[in-house]
Amino acid sequence: MEQALSFIKENTDLKKDDYIVIGLSGGPDSMVLLDQLLKIRNLIHINIVCAHINHNLRTESEQEALFVRNYCQKNQVIFEMIKLEKFSHFTESLGHDKRYAFFEKLINKYHAKYLFTAHHGDDLIETILMRLVRGSSISGYAGFKCVDVRDNYTILRPLVYYSKEQIMAYAKENKIPYVIDNSNNAEEYTRNRYRKFILPLLKKEDENVHLKFLKYSQLLNEYENYFDDQINLVYGNIVEEEVINLKRLKQQPHLMIKKIIKRWLFNEYQEQIKDINDKHTNLIIEAIFNPKPNIVIHLPKKKIIKTYNQLFFEKNIKSDDYEYILEDRVVLPNGHIIIVVKDSELTNNNVIYLNSSKLKLPLYVRNYQNQDKMTIKNMQGHKKIKKIFTDEKIKYDERLNYPVVVDSSGEIIWLPGIKKS
C-alpha cells in the first residue's frame, strides 16, 4: 500500500490537529483505507472522523454498524452514523445522494478539508463500463476522479491503484477485520452484474487491467480540463448575466458550443442537473440553429426562451402588468414617455393623430396581452400583435411590457413606434 500512502502525502497539506472524514462501511475496502489513514495519524496527529451509513436494507446492518462503532472506539476514531429511512424502491443513485449529503454535513461540522472514500480500481472499471453502455459525456466516460476538488473540500480516493484482490490480500496479511455485505452479489443491481460477469474476463486478459482503465480515465480528464480552460477564456464574453449571446456562441466550434450550453445549464440547475440529459442539450442546440427567431424550449421545471440573438431562462423576463389613463403624459415602467400634444410635424409611428370625436374616451396605456389583435391602417381585418412583433423583430423579453394604447372600449389604436390602427 505504499502507493496509497504516497498518494495521500502528495495530495494533502495536513497539519497537526486537522480533521479528515472517511466513508467507512466496515467492508474490506474501507477498513484497509482506514488502516492507511491510521498510519498517517502516527506521523501527523490528525483527527479521523468515521462517517458510517446504515442503509437499513438488510438485517445485518445493525451488527455492521456496531462493528464499525466498536472498532472506531478501540482506535480513537470519531464515530458518526446516519440511519436511512426505508425506501420502497432503493436505487444506487438514491444511495449515492444520501451518502454524500451526510458526508458534506460532517465536512462542515468538523471544518474538514478532505473526504476519503474507498473506491478502488475495480470500482473504476465498473463505473466506466456502465457509463459507456448507458451513454455519458467525456467526464462521465472517465468514471470518477482520484482527486475531486469541490467547493470547500476535496475527495481523495487512494485505493484506485489497487484491484479488489490486492486489497483483500492486504487485509488478510495485516489481519484487518471487516464485514461482508452479501447484497454486493445480488444480480438485480447493474454494477454487480458487471462485477460478476465482465470483470473476470478482463482480468483474465490482464490481471492489472484496472491500471489501464485508470490511465484511460486520467487521459479523458486531461482533455476535459483543457476544454474547461478554453471555455473559461470565452464564457464571460458569450454569457452575460446568464443570457447567452447567440451570435457570439455560434462562432465557436460545435464541441465548445455544447460544453458552454452544459456549463450554462449547470449554473442554473446546480444540484438538480441530474434532471438534464443529452436529449435536452440537443433540443437547445437545435433551437439555436433553427431559423425561427422566437422559440420556447421546455425543460424539467423550467423554460428557455430563444429570441433572435439571445437565449435565457424564462425567469429572467420581468413582467409587471400596468394600465394608466392617458391624459397629458404617461411615464412607462421602461422609462419611455407618451405625451399628448396638439400639434407635431412628425409622421412616423412614434406619433399618432387622433380625432377625439371618433374615439371612446378616455384613452389608456397598458402592457401587451397574449391574445391582443388590432386593425392596421390601410389593411382589412385584424392582425395579431404577436405576429406584428415577429415581423418587427421585437424580442420576446421586450414584448410582455410593451405599451399598447387602447380606447375605453378596449380597441387597440396604437403600438407606439410600430403600428397605428
Side-chain angles (χ1 to χ4, degrees):
M1 289 288 156
E2 288 301 320
Q3 197 163 3
L5 287 172
S6 298
F7 172 88
I8 296 171
K9 293 172 184 177
E10 290 170 7
N11 291 284
T12 61
D13 59 349
L14 290 169
K15 299 178 180 63
K16 183 182 178 182
D17 296 327
D18 279 354
Y19 285 82
I20 62 171
V21 176
I22 172 178
L24 193 67
S25 67
D29 312 328
S30 62
M31 293 300 290
V32 166
L33 177 59
L34 178 58
D35 177 76
Q36 301 307 298
L37 295 178
L38 290 173
K39 284 180 168 59
I40 295 291
R41 191 179 69 176
N42 291 336
L43 301 174
I44 309 169
H45 186 271
I46 56 174
N47 300 288
I48 302 174
V49 180
C50 153
H52 179 76
I53 296 91
N54 181 345
H55 289 92
N56 200 21
L57 296 172
R58 298 171 294 112
T59 55
E60 300 89 351
S61 295
E62 297 295 336
Q63 290 147 347
E64 290 165 4
L66 183 61
F67 163 78
V68 174
R69 180 192 294 272
N70 291 339
Y71 191 86
C72 287
Q73 289 177 347
K74 180 180 177 181
N75 290 276
Q76 292 83 52
V77 171
I78 300 168
F79 177 79
E80 294 273 6
M81 185 185 83
I82 184 173
K83 184 175 182 178
L84 302 184
E85 59 184 293
K86 285 187 178 292
F87 294 93
S88 57
H89 182 61
F90 188 84
T91 63
E92 184 179 350
S93 176
L94 178 60
H96 174 277
D97 292 344
K98 295 291 183 181
R99 283 195 299 276
Y100 279 84
F102 180 50
F103 292 155
E104 291 190 16
K105 180 180 178 181
L106 296 181
I107 288 285
N108 294 327
K109 176 180 177 179
Y110 290 98
H111 304 288
K113 293 188 292 184
Y114 302 105
L115 166 65
F116 289 84
T117 67
H119 294 95
H120 49 72
D122 288 16
D123 292 326
L124 183 61
I125 295 175
E126 294 160 10
T127 301
I128 290 173
L129 291 177
M130 287 167 63
R131 291 180 181 174
L132 283 170
V133 172
R134 185 179 62 207
S136 188
S137 59
I138 291 179
S139 58
Y141 292 135
F144 51 76
K145 295 180 180 179
C146 307
V147 180
D148 191 353
V149 180
R150 302 296 177 95
D151 288 339
N152 62 329
Y153 69 99
T154 300
I155 303 174
L156 297 174
R157 300 179 170 102
L159 300 187
V160 75
Y161 299 99
Y162 303 94
S163 67
K164 181 72 172 185
E165 290 82 3
Q166 290 169 328
I167 291 169
M168 296 297 290
Y170 179 88
K172 182 178 180 180
E173 182 181 346
N174 292 273
K175 297 181 172 55
I176 299 172
Y178 56 82
V179 294
I180 293 293
D181 180 355
N182 290 322
S183 67
N184 288 332
N185 298 318
E187 292 181 19
E188 63 260 33
Y189 296 109
T190 305
R191 182 177 291 275
N192 291 352
R193 294 195 296 274
Y194 280 84
R195 183 176 300 155
K196 185 174 181 179
F197 300 111
I198 307 300
L199 261 65
L201 295 176
L202 294 174
K203 291 182 179 183
K204 190 175 181 180
E205 295 295 324
D206 183 349
E207 64 179 6
N208 289 317
V209 68
H210 63 284
L211 296 179
K212 307 293 175 55
F213 274 78
L214 176 58
K215 183 177 180 180
Y216 167 81
S217 173
Q218 292 170 335
L219 183 62
L220 287 188
N221 281 321
E222 285 180 23
Y223 283 119
E224 184 75 357
N225 291 338
Y226 171 79
F227 281 117
D228 283 343
D229 290 341
Q230 297 306 303
I231 290 171
N232 290 338
L233 295 176
V234 300
Y235 191 83
N237 187 47
I238 294 171
V239 184
E240 296 181 18
E241 296 183 358
E242 298 308 314
V243 177
I244 294 181
N245 183 313
L246 295 181
K247 186 176 180 180
R248 295 173 184 168
L249 180 69
K250 290 177 183 178
Q251 294 171 355
Q252 298 296 319
H254 180 78
L255 182 59
M256 288 286 286
I257 290 175
K258 195 167 188 177
K259 292 186 71 62
I260 289 168
I261 292 296
K262 286 192 172 185
R263 178 179 292 190
W264 181 67
L265 289 170
F266 177 80
N267 290 341
E268 174 67 23
Y269 275 89
Q270 297 292 328
E271 291 83 4
Q272 282 76 46
I273 195 64
K274 291 180 180 178
D275 295 338
I276 301 299
N277 55 38
D278 279 345
K279 177 184 175 183
H280 300 119
T281 307
N282 292 334
L283 273 177
I284 296 170
I285 293 174
E286 286 174 14
I288 289 171
F289 289 96
N290 191 312
K292 290 183 179 179
N294 293 287
I295 297 176
V296 179
I297 307 158
H298 295 267
L299 296 186
K301 302 176 184 177
K302 297 178 186 288
K303 289 181 186 177
I304 290 176
I305 308 300
K306 176 206 171 182
T307 178
Y308 297 96
N309 279 319
Q310 289 187 333
L311 192 75
F312 50 86
F313 284 92
E314 190 178 44
K315 68 173 186 177
N316 291 338
I317 303 173
K318 295 179 181 179
S319 174
D320 298 312
D321 288 341
Y322 61 85
E323 183 176 85
Y324 308 106
I325 294 178
L326 179 55
E327 294 177 327
D328 296 324
R329 60 186 272 142
V330 169
V331 179
L332 302 173
N334 62 7
H336 293 175
I337 302 173
I338 296 179
I339 303 174
V340 177
V341 295
K342 292 184 177 179
D343 192 19
S344 173
E345 296 180 358
L346 297 175
T347 59
N348 58 33
N349 284 321
N350 290 313
V351 173
I352 187 170
Y353 298 95
L354 301 171
N355 185 338
S356 59
S357 65
K358 295 182 179 180
L359 296 170
K360 294 183 179 180
L361 298 175
L363 301 181
Y364 294 88
V365 184
R366 62 166 173 78
N367 60 301
Y368 159 72
Q369 304 296 324
N370 193 41
Q371 299 302 319
D372 280 346
K373 56 179 67 173
M374 68 183 292
T375 57
I376 305 297
K377 186 178 179 180
N378 301 323
M379 176 182 168
Q380 290 185 340
H382 288 79
K383 187 172 184 178
K384 286 187 176 181
I385 303 298
K386 181 179 180 180
K387 182 65 169 64
I388 295 173
F389 283 154
T390 299
D391 294 342
E392 298 295 325
K393 294 182 169 53
I394 304 300
K395 293 180 179 178
Y396 185 92
D397 53 329
E398 295 175 0
R399 297 180 182 186
L400 298 185
N401 290 312
Y402 205 94
V404 175
V405 177
V406 301
D407 68 7
S408 58
S409 71
E411 183 73 19
I412 296 174
I413 59 177
W414 185 33
L415 286 177
I418 299 179
K419 291 288 182 186
K420 306 169 188 176
S421 72

Coordinates of all heavy atoms in Angstrom, one line a residue, residues 10-75:
E10 N 1.1 13.3 -1.1 CA 1.3 14.2 -2.2 C 0.1 15.1 -2.5 O 0.2 16.2 -3.0 CB 1.5 13.4 -3.5 CG 2.9 12.7 -3.6 CD 3.0 11.8 -4.7 OE1 2.1 11.7 -5.6 OE2 4.0 11.1 -4.8
N11 N -1.1 14.7 -2.1 CA -2.3 15.4 -2.4 C -3.0 16.1 -1.2 O -4.2 16.5 -1.3 CB -3.3 14.5 -3.1 CG -2.9 14.1 -4.5 OD1 -2.9 14.9 -5.4 ND2 -2.4 12.8 -4.6
T12 N -2.3 16.1 -0.1 CA -2.9 16.8 1.1 C -1.8 17.7 1.7 O -0.6 17.5 1.5 CB -3.3 15.8 2.2 OG1 -2.2 15.0 2.6 CG2 -4.4 14.8 1.7
D13 N -2.3 18.7 2.5 CA -1.4 19.5 3.2 C -1.8 19.5 4.7 O -2.0 20.5 5.3 CB -1.4 21.0 2.7 CG -2.8 21.6 2.7 OD1 -3.8 20.9 3.0 OD2 -2.9 22.8 2.6
L14 N -2.0 18.3 5.2 CA -2.5 18.0 6.5 C -1.5 18.6 7.6 O -0.3 18.4 7.5 CB -2.7 16.5 6.8 CG -3.8 15.9 6.0 CD1 -3.8 14.4 6.1 CD2 -5.2 16.5 6.5
K15 N -2.1 19.2 8.6 CA -1.3 19.7 9.7 C -1.8 19.1 11.0 O -2.9 18.6 11.1 CB -1.4 21.3 9.7 CG -0.9 22.0 8.5 CD -1.1 23.5 8.6 CE -0.6 24.2 7.4 NZ -1.3 23.8 6.1
K16 N -1.1 19.3 12.1 CA -1.4 18.8 13.4 C -2.8 19.2 13.8 O -3.1 20.4 13.6 CB -0.4 19.2 14.4 CG -0.6 18.6 15.8 CD 0.4 19.1 16.8 CE 0.1 18.6 18.2 NZ 1.0 19.1 19.2
D17 N -3.6 18.3 14.3 CA -5.0 18.5 14.8 C -6.0 18.8 13.7 O -7.2 19.1 14.0 CB -5.0 19.7 15.8 CG -4.2 19.3 17.0 OD1 -4.2 18.1 17.4 OD2 -3.6 20.3 17.6
D18 N -5.6 18.7 12.4 CA -6.6 18.8 11.3 C -7.6 17.7 11.4 O -7.3 16.6 11.9 CB -6.0 18.8 10.0 CG -5.4 20.1 9.6 OD1 -5.6 21.1 10.3 OD2 -4.7 20.2 8.5
Y19 N -8.8 17.9 10.9 CA -9.9 16.8 10.8 C -10.0 16.3 9.4 O -9.9 17.1 8.4 CB -11.2 17.4 11.3 CG -11.3 17.5 12.8 CD1 -10.8 18.7 13.4 CD2 -12.0 16.6 13.6 CE1 -11.0 18.8 14.8 CE2 -12.1 16.7 14.9 CZ -11.6 17.9 15.5 OH -11.7 18.0 16.9
I20 N -10.1 15.0 9.2 CA -10.5 14.5 7.9 C -11.7 13.5 8.1 O -11.9 13.0 9.2 CB -9.3 13.7 7.3 CG1 -8.9 12.5 8.2 CG2 -8.1 14.6 7.1 CD1 -7.9 11.5 7.6
V21 N -12.4 13.3 7.1 CA -13.6 12.4 7.1 C -13.4 11.3 6.2 O -12.9 11.4 5.1 CB -14.9 13.2 6.7 CG1 -16.1 12.3 6.7 CG2 -15.1 14.4 7.6
I22 N -13.7 10.1 6.7 CA -13.7 8.9 5.8 C -15.0 8.2 5.8 O -15.7 8.0 6.8 CB -12.6 7.9 6.4 CG1 -12.7 6.5 5.6 CG2 -12.7 7.6 7.8 CD1 -11.6 5.5 6.0
G23 N -15.4 7.8 4.6 CA -16.6 7.0 4.5 C -16.3 5.5 4.8 O -15.5 4.9 4.1
L24 N -16.9 5.0 5.9 CA -16.5 3.7 6.5 C -17.7 2.8 6.6 O -18.5 3.0 7.4 CB -15.8 3.9 7.9 CG -15.1 2.7 8.4 CD1 -13.8 2.4 7.6 CD2 -14.7 2.9 9.9
S25 N -17.8 1.9 5.6 CA -18.9 0.9 5.7 C -18.6 -0.3 6.6 O -19.5 -0.9 7.0 CB -19.1 0.4 4.2 OG -18.0 -0.4 3.8
G26 N -17.3 -0.6 6.8 CA -16.9 -1.7 7.6 C -16.5 -2.9 6.7 O -16.0 -3.9 7.1
G27 N -16.7 -2.7 5.3 CA -16.2 -3.7 4.4 C -14.7 -3.7 4.2 O -14.0 -2.8 4.8
P28 N -14.1 -4.6 3.5 CA -12.6 -4.7 3.4 C -12.0 -3.5 2.8 O -10.9 -3.1 3.3 CB -12.4 -6.0 2.6 CG -13.7 -6.2 1.9 CD -14.7 -5.7 2.8
D29 N -12.6 -2.9 1.8 CA -12.0 -1.7 1.2 C -11.9 -0.5 2.1 O -10.8 0.1 2.3 CB -12.9 -1.3 0.0 CG -13.3 -2.5 -0.9 OD1 -12.5 -3.4 -1.0 OD2 -14.4 -2.4 -1.5
S30 N -13.0 -0.2 2.8 CA -12.9 1.0 3.7 C -12.1 0.7 4.9 O -11.4 1.6 5.4 CB -14.3 1.4 4.1 OG -15.0 0.4 4.8
M31 N -12.0 -0.5 5.4 CA -11.2 -0.8 6.6 C -9.7 -0.8 6.2 O -8.9 -0.3 7.0 CB -11.6 -2.2 7.1 CG -13.0 -2.3 7.7 SD -13.2 -1.2 9.1 CE -12.2 -2.0 10.3
V32 N -9.4 -1.2 5.0 CA -8.0 -1.0 4.5 C -7.6 0.4 4.4 O -6.5 0.9 4.8 CB -7.7 -1.8 3.2 CG1 -6.4 -1.4 2.6 CG2 -7.7 -3.3 3.5
L33 N -8.5 1.2 3.9 CA -8.3 2.7 3.8 C -8.1 3.3 5.1 O -7.2 4.1 5.3 CB -9.5 3.4 3.0 CG -9.4 4.9 2.9 CD1 -8.1 5.3 2.2 CD2 -10.6 5.4 2.2
L34 N -8.9 2.9 6.1 CA -8.8 3.4 7.5 C -7.4 3.0 8.0 O -6.8 3.9 8.7 CB -9.9 2.9 8.4 CG -9.8 3.3 9.8 CD1 -9.8 4.8 10.0 CD2 -10.9 2.7 10.7
D35 N -7.0 1.8 7.7 CA -5.6 1.4 8.2 C -4.5 2.4 7.7 O -3.6 2.7 8.4 CB -5.4 0.0 7.7 CG -4.0 -0.5 8.0 OD1 -3.8 -0.9 9.2 OD2 -3.1 -0.5 7.1
Q36 N -4.7 2.8 6.4 CA -3.7 3.7 5.8 C -3.8 5.1 6.5 O -2.7 5.7 6.8 CB -3.9 3.9 4.3 CG -3.9 2.6 3.5 CD -2.6 1.9 3.8 OE1 -1.5 2.4 3.5 NE2 -2.7 0.6 4.3
L37 N -5.0 5.5 6.8 CA -5.1 6.8 7.5 C -4.6 6.8 8.9 O -4.1 7.8 9.4 CB -6.6 7.3 7.5 CG -7.1 7.5 6.1 CD1 -8.6 7.9 6.1 CD2 -6.4 8.6 5.4
L38 N -4.7 5.6 9.6 CA -4.2 5.5 10.9 C -2.6 5.6 10.8 O -2.0 6.1 11.8 CB -4.6 4.2 11.5 CG -6.1 4.1 11.9 CD1 -6.5 2.7 12.4 CD2 -6.4 5.1 13.0
K39 N -2.1 5.1 9.8 CA -0.6 5.2 9.6 C -0.2 6.6 9.4 O 0.8 7.1 10.0 CB -0.2 4.4 8.4 CG -0.1 2.9 8.6 CD 0.4 2.1 7.4 CE 0.7 0.7 7.6 NZ -0.4 -0.1 8.2
I40 N -1.0 7.4 8.7 CA -0.8 8.8 8.5 C -0.9 9.5 9.9 O -0.1 10.4 10.2 CB -1.8 9.5 7.5 CG1 -1.6 8.9 6.1 CG2 -1.6 11.0 7.5 CD1 -0.3 9.3 5.4
R41 N -1.9 9.1 10.7 CA -2.1 9.7 12.0 C -0.9 9.5 12.9 O -0.6 10.3 13.8 CB -3.3 9.2 12.6 CG -3.8 9.9 13.9 CD -5.1 9.4 14.5 NE -4.9 8.1 15.1 CZ -5.8 7.4 15.7 NH1 -7.0 7.9 15.8 NH2 -5.6 6.2 16.2
N42 N -0.2 8.4 12.7 CA 1.0 8.1 13.5 C 2.1 9.1 13.2 O 3.0 9.3 14.0 CB 1.5 6.7 13.3 CG 0.6 5.6 13.9 OD1 -0.2 5.9 14.8 ND2 0.6 4.4 13.3
L43 N 2.1 9.6 12.0 CA 3.1 10.6 11.6 C 2.7 12.0 11.9 O 3.5 12.9 12.3 CB 3.4 10.5 10.1 CG 3.8 9.1 9.5 CD1 3.9 9.1 8.0 CD2 5.2 8.7 10.1
I44 N 1.4 12.3 11.7 CA 0.9 13.7 12.0 C -0.4 13.5 12.9 O -1.2 12.7 12.5 CB 0.4 14.4 10.7 CG1 1.6 14.4 9.6 CG2 0.0 15.8 11.0 CD1 1.1 14.8 8.3
H45 N -0.4 14.2 14.0 CA -1.6 14.0 14.9 C -2.8 14.7 14.3 O -3.1 15.8 14.5 CB -1.3 14.6 16.2 CG -2.4 14.3 17.2 ND1 -3.5 15.1 17.4 CD2 -2.6 13.2 18.0 CE1 -4.3 14.6 18.3 NE2 -3.8 13.4 18.7
I46 N -3.6 13.9 13.5 CA -4.8 14.4 12.9 C -6.0 13.7 13.6 O -5.8 12.6 14.2 CB -4.8 14.1 11.4 CG1 -4.6 12.6 11.1 CG2 -3.8 15.0 10.7 CD1 -4.8 12.3 9.6
N47 N -7.2 14.3 13.4 CA -8.4 13.7 13.9 C -9.2 13.0 12.8 O -9.5 13.7 11.8 CB -9.3 14.8 14.5 CG -8.5 15.5 15.7 OD1 -8.4 14.9 16.8 ND2 -8.1 16.7 15.5
I48 N -9.4 11.7 12.9 CA -10.2 11.0 11.9 C -11.6 10.9 12.3 O -11.9 10.4 13.4 CB -9.5 9.6 11.7 CG1 -8.1 9.7 11.3 CG2 -10.3 8.8 10.6 CD1 -7.3 8.4 11.2
V49 N -12.5 11.3 11.4 CA -14.0 11.2 11.6 C -14.5 10.1 10.7 O -14.4 10.2 9.5 CB -14.7 12.5 11.3 CG1 -16.2 12.4 11.6 CG2 -14.1 13.6 12.2
C50 N -15.1 9.1 11.3 CA -15.7 8.0 10.5 C -17.2 8.3 10.2 O -17.9 8.7 11.1 CB -15.6 6.7 11.3 SG -16.9 5.5 10.9
A51 N -17.5 8.3 8.9 CA -18.9 8.5 8.5 C -19.5 7.2 8.1 O -19.2 6.7 7.0 CB -19.0 9.5 7.4
H52 N -20.4 6.6 8.9 CA -21.0 5.3 8.6 C -22.5 5.5 8.3 O -23.2 6.2 9.0 CB -20.9 4.4 9.8 CG -21.5 3.0 9.6 ND1 -20.9 2.1 8.8 CD2 -22.6 2.5 10.0 CE1 -21.6 1.0 8.7 NE2 -22.7 1.2 9.5
I53 N -22.9 4.9 7.2 CA -24.3 5.0 6.7 C -24.9 3.6 6.9 O -24.5 2.7 6.3 CB -24.4 5.5 5.3 CG1 -23.9 6.9 5.1 CG2 -25.9 5.4 4.8 CD1 -22.4 7.0 4.7
N54 N -26.0 3.6 7.7 CA -26.8 2.4 7.8 C -27.9 2.5 6.8 O -28.9 3.2 7.0 CB -27.3 2.2 9.3 CG -28.2 1.0 9.5 OD1 -28.6 0.4 8.5 ND2 -28.4 0.6 10.7
H55 N -27.8 1.8 5.7 CA -28.8 1.9 4.6 C -30.1 1.3 5.0 O -31.1 1.5 4.3 CB -28.2 1.3 3.4 CG -27.1 2.1 2.7 ND1 -25.8 1.8 3.0 CD2 -27.1 3.1 1.9 CE1 -25.0 2.7 2.3 NE2 -25.8 3.5 1.6
N56 N -30.1 0.5 6.1 CA -31.4 0.0 6.6 C -32.1 -0.9 5.6 O -33.3 -0.9 5.5 CB -32.3 1.1 7.0 CG -33.4 0.7 8.0 OD1 -33.3 -0.3 8.6 ND2 -34.4 1.5 8.1
L57 N -31.3 -1.7 4.8 CA -31.8 -2.5 3.8 C -31.7 -4.0 4.2 O -32.4 -4.8 3.6 CB -31.1 -2.3 2.5 CG -31.2 -0.9 1.8 CD1 -30.3 -0.8 0.6 CD2 -32.7 -0.7 1.4
R58 N -30.8 -4.3 5.1 CA -30.6 -5.7 5.5 C -30.6 -5.9 7.0 O -30.3 -4.9 7.7 CB -29.2 -6.2 4.9 CG -29.1 -6.1 3.4 CD -27.7 -6.4 3.0 NE -26.8 -5.3 3.4 CZ -25.8 -5.5 4.3 NH1 -25.6 -6.7 4.9 NH2 -25.1 -4.5 4.6
T59 N -30.9 -7.1 7.5 CA -31.0 -7.3 8.9 C -29.6 -7.2 9.5 O -29.4 -6.9 10.7 CB -31.5 -8.7 9.2 OG1 -30.7 -9.7 8.5 CG2 -33.0 -8.8 8.8
E60 N -28.5 -7.4 8.7 CA -27.1 -7.4 9.2 C -26.6 -5.9 9.4 O -25.6 -5.7 10.0 CB -26.2 -8.1 8.2 CG -26.5 -9.5 8.0 CD -27.4 -9.8 6.8 OE1 -28.0 -8.8 6.3 OE2 -27.6 -10.9 6.4
S61 N -27.4 -5.0 8.9 CA -26.9 -3.6 9.0 C -26.7 -3.1 10.4 O -25.7 -2.4 10.7 CB -28.0 -2.7 8.4 OG -28.1 -2.9 7.0
E62 N -27.5 -3.5 11.4 CA -27.3 -3.1 12.8 C -26.0 -3.7 13.3 O -25.2 -3.0 14.0 CB -28.5 -3.5 13.6 CG -29.8 -2.9 13.2 CD -29.9 -1.4 13.4 OE1 -29.1 -0.9 14.3 OE2 -30.7 -0.8 12.8
Q63 N -25.7 -4.9 13.0 CA -24.5 -5.6 13.5 C -23.2 -4.9 12.9 O -22.2 -4.8 13.5 CB -24.5 -7.1 13.3 CG -25.5 -7.8 14.1 CD -26.2 -9.0 13.4 OE1 -26.0 -9.1 12.2 NE2 -26.9 -9.8 14.1
E64 N -23.4 -4.6 11.6 CA -22.2 -3.9 10.9 C -22.0 -2.5 11.5 O -20.8 -2.2 11.7 CB -22.5 -3.8 9.4 CG -22.5 -5.2 8.7 CD -23.2 -5.1 7.3 OE1 -23.6 -4.0 6.9 OE2 -23.3 -6.2 6.7
A65 N -23.0 -1.8 11.8 CA -22.9 -0.5 12.5 C -22.2 -0.6 13.8 O -21.3 0.1 14.2 CB -24.2 0.2 12.6
L66 N -22.6 -1.7 14.6 CA -22.0 -1.9 15.9 C -20.5 -2.3 15.8 O -19.6 -1.8 16.5 CB -22.7 -3.0 16.6 CG -22.2 -3.4 18.0 CD1 -22.4 -2.1 19.0 CD2 -23.0 -4.5 18.6
F67 N -20.2 -3.1 14.8 CA -18.8 -3.5 14.5 C -17.9 -2.2 14.2 O -16.8 -2.1 14.8 CB -18.7 -4.4 13.3 CG -17.4 -4.5 12.7 CD1 -16.4 -5.3 13.3 CD2 -17.0 -3.9 11.5 CE1 -15.1 -5.4 12.7 CE2 -15.8 -4.0 10.9 CZ -14.8 -4.7 11.6
V68 N -18.4 -1.3 13.3 CA -17.7 -0.1 13.0 C -17.5 0.8 14.2 O -16.5 1.3 14.5 CB -18.4 0.6 11.8 CG1 -17.7 2.0 11.6 CG2 -18.4 -0.2 10.6
R69 N -18.6 0.9 15.0 CA -18.6 1.8 16.2 C -17.5 1.3 17.2 O -16.7 2.1 17.6 CB -19.9 1.8 16.9 CG -20.0 2.7 18.1 CD -21.2 2.4 18.9 NE -22.4 2.9 18.2 CZ -22.9 4.1 18.3 NH1 -22.3 5.0 19.0 NH2 -24.0 4.4 17.6
N70 N -17.5 0.0 17.4 CA -16.5 -0.6 18.4 C -15.1 -0.4 17.9 O -14.2 -0.1 18.6 CB -16.9 -2.1 18.6 CG -18.2 -2.2 19.4 OD1 -18.6 -1.3 20.1 ND2 -18.8 -3.4 19.3
Y71 N -14.9 -0.7 16.6 CA -13.5 -0.5 16.0 C -13.0 0.9 16.1 O -11.9 1.1 16.4 CB -13.5 -1.0 14.6 CG -12.1 -1.2 14.0 CD1 -11.5 -2.4 14.2 CD2 -11.5 -0.1 13.3 CE1 -10.2 -2.5 13.7 CE2 -10.2 -0.3 12.8 CZ -9.6 -1.5 13.0 OH -8.3 -1.6 12.5
C72 N -13.9 1.9 15.9 CA -13.6 3.3 16.0 C -13.2 3.6 17.4 O -12.2 4.3 17.7 CB -14.7 4.2 15.5 SG -14.9 4.1 13.7
Q73 N -14.0 3.2 18.4 CA -13.7 3.5 19.8 C -12.4 2.9 20.2 O -11.6 3.5 20.9 CB -14.9 2.9 20.7 CG -16.2 3.7 20.6 CD -17.3 3.0 21.4 OE1 -17.2 1.9 21.9 NE2 -18.4 3.8 21.6
K74 N -12.1 1.7 19.8 CA -10.8 1.0 20.1 C -9.7 1.8 19.5 O -8.6 1.8 20.1 CB -10.9 -0.4 19.5 CG -9.6 -1.2 19.8 CD -9.7 -2.6 19.2 CE -8.4 -3.4 19.4 NZ -8.5 -4.8 18.8
N75 N -9.8 2.4 18.4 CA -8.7 3.1 17.7 C -8.8 4.6 17.8 O -8.1 5.3 17.0 CB -8.7 2.7 16.3 CG -8.2 1.2 16.1 OD1 -7.0 0.9 16.1 ND2 -9.2 0.3 16.0

